[in-house]
Structures are given as C-alpha cells and as structure tokens.
Amino acid sequence: MSTTESQYIDIYEKYSETIFKNGVAVMNDCRQIAFDYFKDNGFPNSRAELYRHSKIKELFDFDYGLNLNRVKFPTSNNLFHCDVPINSYLCFLVDEAFYLPEKSKLEWDDLAKKGVLIGSIREMAQKYPDLVSSYYHKAFGEKMDALVAFNTMFSQDGFFFYVPDGVVIDNPIQLICVSNANLPAISNPRNLVVVGDNAKASVLMCAHSLSDVESLSNGATEVFVGENAHFDYYKLESTNAKSVSLSSFVLKQKKNSNVLINDMTLQNGFSRNNISVDLDGEGAELTLCGMVIGDGEQHTDNHTVVNHNVPNCVSKELFKYVLNDASKGAFSGRVFVAKDAQKTAAYQTNKNICVGKDAKMFTEPQLEIYADDVKCSHGASTGQMDETALFYLRSRGIPEAEAKMLLMFAFVNDVIENIRIDSLQDKIKLMVEKRFRGESSLCKGCNACK
C-alpha cells in the first residue's frame, strides 16, 4: 500500500469516532465495509485498465483537508439565488452540505403534499431510516470501486429525492453544487434518487466553483427508477482549472421505464465520470449522451457501462468531444448483453474533433454480447475540423473564427437536442455558443457563476 492510501487509512482509523459521531446510522452502517475494501484495494494506478488515461492516485497526493467535523464554510445570501430562465425547484449543495434557501421553501409545499421528499440525505436518513436504508448503497454495493469506497467512508451529507408512485413533477429539481471552501479540501457528496412506479421527474445538477483554491469533489449518486416511470438527469459542469471532479453514477431501471442521462462538461480542470446503468425490466429504454468542450490543459474522461440484463430493452448512447489547445479527452463505453437478453437494441457512438494540434483523444467503444437475436452497433471516430466545410463558409464571407464556431456548434448540437426541457435547451445552446467564441461559458444568471 502506497503512502497515498496510507494517509487516508490512518485518518479513518484515527478519527473514526468523529466520523461516526457526526454521521447517521444509515450511512454509518456501510462505512466499515467500504473501508475494508479500500484498505485491501487502494486507488487504481496507471496500470489499471479502466483508469489508464486518468491517474487517480496522483490526484489524492495533494495536501487536501477533510471536513470531518462538519465545519460550515462562509456563505452569503447572494449565493442562494439563481435566475436561470427555467421554471425549477432550486436547492444547493455547498461543499457536501445541503441547503434550501428560505424563499424556496414555500415553492416546495405542493410537492410535500404529494408525498415528495427532497432534502439533505443526512436529515432524511434520520426522519425516514427505513425508506433510505432500503436503497442506500444497494446499487453501489454491487459495483464497489475505490472512489465509491472512499465516498462511503467519509461522506456526511448530500442530496435525497424521493418521488412516490404515480406522482408527476412537471418542473425539474435544480441542484446547484458549489465548492466554497477557503482552503484546499475534499468533499464527498452522496446523492440518492428514487422515482416510483408510474412517476415522472427530472433533475438538473450544475457544478460550479466559487473559491480560487484547489478542490476535489468525489461524488457518488444512486438512482432507482420504477416501472413505467420517466426520469431525466442533466449534469452540467462549469468549474475552473483548479477543480478536480470525480463522479460515480449508478442507475437501476425497472420494466417499461424511460430514462435520459445527459452529461455536459463545458469548463473544468480534471474530470472523471463513471456511469453504470442496469436495464433490469423488460421494455426499459435508455438515452445516454454527453459532450465535452476542452481547451487549455483540461482533462475529461467518461467511462460508461450499459448492462442489458433482460430481453426487449433499448439503449442509445452518444458522446461528442471538441478539444482545443493541449486538452485531453477519453471515452470508454461498454455495452453488455446478457445470454437471455433477446430482442435487445443497443447503439453506441463516440465522435470527436481535435481542433488544437496538441489535443489528444483516447476512445474505446466495446460490445460484449451473449444473446443471438439482437440489434447492436458501436463506433468511434476522431479527426480534425472539416476543411472543406470551413472553406465553404469562408467563401460565403463568414470570418474564420465565426465559421469555426458554427462548425463546432453544429457538431455537438445533436447532443443538445436530446435535452427534453425547451428552456434548458435554449440556455445550453447559448452557453455553448459563448464557450466556442472564447467568452465566459458560465451562467450569468446564477450568482454562483460570477
């Protein structure tokens, strides 16, 4: 075991009493199992196949702090405000701690009357221990890895969202995740979403950085979607060069459910996103897509796994990268079709443009099929900007910079078109256009972005 792991093992053993005292029973019950896994396996090194393009262990060598005593970092009233032009229910995660602005509480009354639960996972685990414990760590327990184990060991709070059977929520839940520590720190937000049978809901998770110090967020999110339910999950990362974002996301889908996942990285430092989906009920449909816009020395690595465990399910996967300067991108996507999962339809595509001569892209689409009556395809392409198309636009009097912007925007537009909230789609189009023009990609309506 290297000194990188040893320091965190020592911290856990030395301060376990503090960790458990500040935790809640539901979360504490899983800590020792996670610690034993981490102690035996440690962080993946550069030889690990799944992490060969992201040196995870080196990220934790930095002298970060862990907020084991749940110290509240300074916040201001201006933080709890967002004027993004979409009708949404607004809440915040600030360095792992959940906050609901006072003026937003009245907006949530109608949801509460329907039995919807939204709030701190810590508080919900105290109020509804049987409900939370029936889902907490149930998906990750099957798919444990070092990042999930680290999160489970140290996490103290996060976001909880429960939609009862038959409840339809028309407006999205907008969760603004901000790093606001005044010293370099690691946060471990833990999120749990449960959408009941015949229910409908959507979540928009926006990640931002307020502080100008180094930060590492190691988030873990479990999502359970019931029969005949509809759920949309949008993740928008717009942070800074000093931010490290490690995200583990697991989704379990039941019969005839319909889920959209759209993971968009507009601006970041270093990001690794692990997305795993289990199609466990016949008739389940998944649309999984994402885009990455990189420049400078940004690094974005997306790893996806879609498991077709039963017959008659459909998955459509599309990821696109536009990389400039010396930015790096990686995509590894695996589609697994079980032996009895006949009539599966699975499609996976990864397309990339390296605008800068020093930009690098690594892609590895994979199919693993054990059924014989299926329709499956996968493909990947990486190249430079279409010079013929660029010449055509310039010959029509369009300046070179504007022509490049139009081509890059057109390239990622089909990912944006998958957004099923019209006002959000319009907002993302504006942010992407500004990003390609070299202007700020941050949301000007949200004080967390200023």
Side-chain angles (χ1 to χ4, degrees):
M1 190 67 64
S2 72
T3 55
T4 303
E5 289 90 356
S6 296
Q7 64 175 327
Y8 294 108
I9 291 172
D10 291 344
I11 288 173
Y12 183 87
E13 292 178 331
K14 183 177 180 179
Y15 296 101
S16 59
E17 184 177 341
T18 299
I19 294 170
F20 277 76
K21 182 182 69 174
N22 290 327
V24 292
V26 172
M27 301 176 77
N28 287 342
D29 289 345
C30 304
R31 294 192 196 279
Q32 192 60 39
I33 297 173
F35 173 72
D36 292 340
Y37 178 94
F38 183 79
K39 193 173 182 179
D40 291 340
N41 296 276
F43 293 117
N45 56 38
S46 58
R47 295 188 299 275
E49 179 66 21
L50 295 181
Y51 287 91
R52 59 182 175 149
H53 300 302
S54 293
K55 298 178 180 179
I56 299 297
K57 182 181 291 189
E58 294 180 6
L59 299 174
F60 286 86
D61 280 336
F62 192 85
D63 188 19
Y64 291 111
L66 276 165
N67 188 9
L68 303 182
N69 287 310
R70 294 183 53 78
V71 175
K72 290 187 177 181
F73 295 108
T75 58
S76 66
N77 290 331
N78 287 334
L79 172 64
F80 304 114
H81 171 74
C82 191
D83 291 327
V84 176
I86 62 173
N87 293 321
S88 64
Y89 299 97
L90 188 65
C91 51
F92 288 79
L93 275 182
V94 183
D95 298 302
E96 190 179 325
F98 181 86
Y99 289 91
L100 182 62
E102 281 294 331
K103 71 174 188 176
S104 296
K105 292 180 179 179
L106 294 176
E107 301 174 1
W108 297 59
D109 288 347
D110 290 339
L111 295 181
K113 292 176 183 177
K114 296 179 180 179
V116 177
L117 301 176
I118 308 176
S120 157
I121 192 171
R122 172 189 176 85
E123 293 180 4
M124 292 297 175
Q126 291 174 316
K127 292 180 180 179
Y128 310 98
D130 292 341
L131 173 63
V132 178
S133 64
S134 62
Y135 292 98
Y136 183 83
H137 203 64
K138 293 300 186 290
F140 277 135
E142 304 170 0
K143 305 174 185 294
M144 183 81 79
D145 75 352
L147 298 182
V148 171
F150 191 92
N151 176 282
T152 306
M153 289 162 54
F154 291 113
S155 180
Q156 297 283 2
D157 203 358
F159 170 67
F160 179 77
F161 181 32
Y162 171 76
V163 186
D165 293 350
V167 173
V168 175
I169 303 177
D170 293 322
N171 295 330
I173 309 301
Q174 187 173 2
L175 180 66
I176 310 295
C177 305
V178 294
S179 172
N180 196 40
N182 49 21
L183 295 171
I186 294 176
S187 62
N188 292 282
R190 187 58 174 255
N191 307 313
L192 176 58
V193 177
V194 181
V195 182
D197 296 345
N198 301 297
K200 181 180 179 181
S202 57
V203 170
L204 166 62
M205 182 180 292
C206 304
H208 303 296
S209 293
L210 288 183
S211 59
D212 194 32
V213 299
E214 288 77 4
S215 65
L216 188 155
S217 173
N218 177 41
T221 301
E222 292 175 288
V223 178
F224 298 84
V225 180
E227 293 186 6
N228 303 301
H230 285 71
F231 179 67
D232 290 359
Y233 177 82
Y234 306 97
K235 179 170 172 276
L236 174 65
E237 183 178 1
S238 191
T239 55
N240 60 37
K242 294 183 178 181
S243 297
V244 174
S245 174
L246 308 175
S247 172
S248 300
F249 179 97
V250 173
L251 165 68
K252 307 278 283 185
Q253 286 187 241
K254 289 188 177 181
K255 182 178 178 180
N256 295 324
S257 59
N258 187 296
V259 174
L260 165 67
I261 302 172
N262 200 327
D263 195 315
M264 299 164 281
T265 302
L266 298 190
Q267 195 158 297
N268 67 325
F270 184 107
S271 300
R272 164 72 183 212
N273 300 307
N274 293 330
I275 301 174
S276 178
V277 179
D278 283 316
L279 301 172
D280 292 332
E282 289 195 42
E285 295 186 14
L286 168 72
T287 301
L288 171 58
C289 55
M291 68 176 174
V292 175
I293 301 173
D295 57 17
E297 297 183 352
Q298 294 172 218
H299 179 109
T300 307
D301 184 353
N302 287 304
H303 173 71
T304 70
V305 178
V306 178
N307 295 310
H308 285 259
N309 299 321
V310 297
N312 298 302
C313 293
V314 177
S315 67
K316 300 176 183 178
E317 185 173 359
L318 173 65
F319 275 78
K320 289 193 170 184
Y321 291 60
V322 178
L323 304 176
N324 208 338
D325 302 327
S327 59
K328 294 181 181 179
F331 172 80
S332 174
R334 176 173 172 262
V335 176
F336 172 85
V337 181
K339 181 179 179 180
D340 297 325
Q342 305 294 349
K343 304 296 182 181
T344 287
Y347 310 98
Q348 181 191 86
T349 303
N350 171 230
K351 294 184 178 181
N352 317 291
I353 293 179
C354 291
V355 181
K357 64 179 181 179
D358 296 321
K360 294 182 179 180
M361 181 67 202
F362 306 91
T363 182
E364 189 177 0
Q366 305 167 56
L367 284 178
E368 188 174 344
I369 304 172
Y370 296 96
D372 53 18
D373 186 8
V374 301
K375 294 181 180 179
C376 297
S377 66
H378 71 305
S381 64
T382 300
Q384 296 178 324
M385 189 167 293
D386 188 336
E387 292 295 332
T388 301
L390 182 61
F391 175 80
Y392 175 83
L393 291 175
R394 293 191 65 190
S395 69
R396 292 323 188 250
I398 300 175
E400 182 176 3
E402 184 73 8
K404 287 183 176 180
M405 187 280 294
L406 291 173
L407 290 176
M408 291 186 292
F409 184 89
F411 179 74
V412 300
N413 189 55
D414 48 355
V415 175
I416 302 174
E417 291 289 340
N418 273 310
I419 297 174
R420 297 194 280 214
I421 303 172
D422 291 341
S423 56
L424 177 60
Q425 186 181 123
D426 292 340
K427 181 63 180 178
I428 297 300
K429 286 182 177 180
L430 178 61
M431 295 175 72
V432 169
E433 182 180 334
K434 287 185 175 181
R435 183 74 172 91
F436 283 140
R437 291 184 188 278
E439 303 172 12
S440 173
S441 67
L442 301 179
C443 165
K444 295 301 184 180
C446 178
N447 284 340
C449 308
K450 292 182 179 180

